[in-house]
Amino acid sequence: MKFLCVALFVLLACGAMGAKSKSPKQQFVKAHKTKRKLHGTRKLGWDADIATVAQKWCDYLRDNNLLEHSQGSGYGENLYKSWGTSSDGAATRAVDSWYNEISDYDYAKPGFSMTTGHFTQVVWESSKKVGCGISTKDSETWVCCNYEPPGNYGGQYANNVLPLKTVA
């Protein structure tokens, strides 16, 4: 019995030590994929150059304690800030927060709204690439994601913000 307990402990310990948490890149890609799949929207590919731009902006926001959009990057952009939480899981929390704006989106009147712009960018069909950054300071976390091509273009919502797929 003693041997069995020791063997079980070793297996559990080795499994825990061998378990790898997903990198922020993997977390961002997976979180977007999960939400976009609900709408039948294509997967986003990760772009390291776009991620570098997002990370620089995130660092700027952190260093200046701001939450405002960058100007002239040419990318679509979603921003998120949390207080009192770890940066672990920030990618998923940010994408979930943006996606939750779906409750205010009116598919019968497709278009931009200040209350749904993050959601529409997350699921924007013609966006093909994403790059994101995370910055922390004390108990605050900033998340910046950039999208290429950008979304939220007037007159293009009906073709790019697809309704939820029905499950048969």
Side-chain angles (χ1 to χ4, degrees):
M1 183 67 162
K2 194 176 200 180
F3 174 76
L4 180 59
C5 291
V6 170
L8 182 58
F9 172 77
V10 170
L11 285 172
L12 290 173
C14 290
M17 290 182 343
K20 293 181 182 178
S21 62
K22 291 188 183 330
S23 71
K25 168 189 163 183
Q26 292 169 318
Q27 291 173 31
F28 280 116
V29 169
K30 181 180 179 187
H32 280 88
K33 177 184 174 184
T34 299
K35 301 305 183 193
R36 291 170 68 88
K37 186 176 181 180
L38 297 170
H39 299 263
T41 307
R42 79 178 92 212
K43 296 176 190 175
L44 290 175
W46 183 261
D47 188 287
D49 293 333
I50 296 172
T52 298
V53 171
Q55 185 62 57
K56 285 181 183 177
W57 188 248
C58 245
D59 293 344
Y60 172 83
L61 295 175
R62 176 203 61 211
D63 293 346
N64 294 281
N65 197 28
L66 298 171
L67 189 63
E68 60 185 43
H69 287 283
S70 62
Q71 300 296 315
S73 72
Y75 300 119
E77 183 176 70
N78 278 345
L79 305 176
Y80 172 84
K81 184 176 179 183
S82 64
W83 295 264
T85 58
S86 157
S87 63
D88 293 340
T92 302
R93 285 193 308 274
V95 175
D96 285 350
S97 172
W98 299 329
Y99 184 82
N100 286 341
E101 293 176 359
I102 188 175
S103 62
D104 293 326
Y105 191 74
D106 185 353
Y107 288 95
K109 296 179 186 174
F112 180 77
S113 163
M114 291 298 287
T115 61
T116 61
H118 299 103
F119 156 70
T120 54
Q121 178 60 82
V122 167
V123 300
W124 196 262
E125 167 65 22
S126 64
S127 290
K128 298 176 183 174
K129 298 177 184 178
V130 66
C132 303
I134 298 176
S135 290
T136 59
K137 183 177 182 180
D138 301 324
S139 63
E140 298 175 304
T141 301
W142 287 259
V143 174
C144 306
C145 285
N146 289 346
Y147 304 83
E148 184 181 70
N152 293 332
Y153 279 102
Q156 296 181 21
Y157 282 82
N159 293 327
N160 282 284
V161 182
L162 307 178
L164 287 165
K165 293 186 341 183
T166 54
V167 180

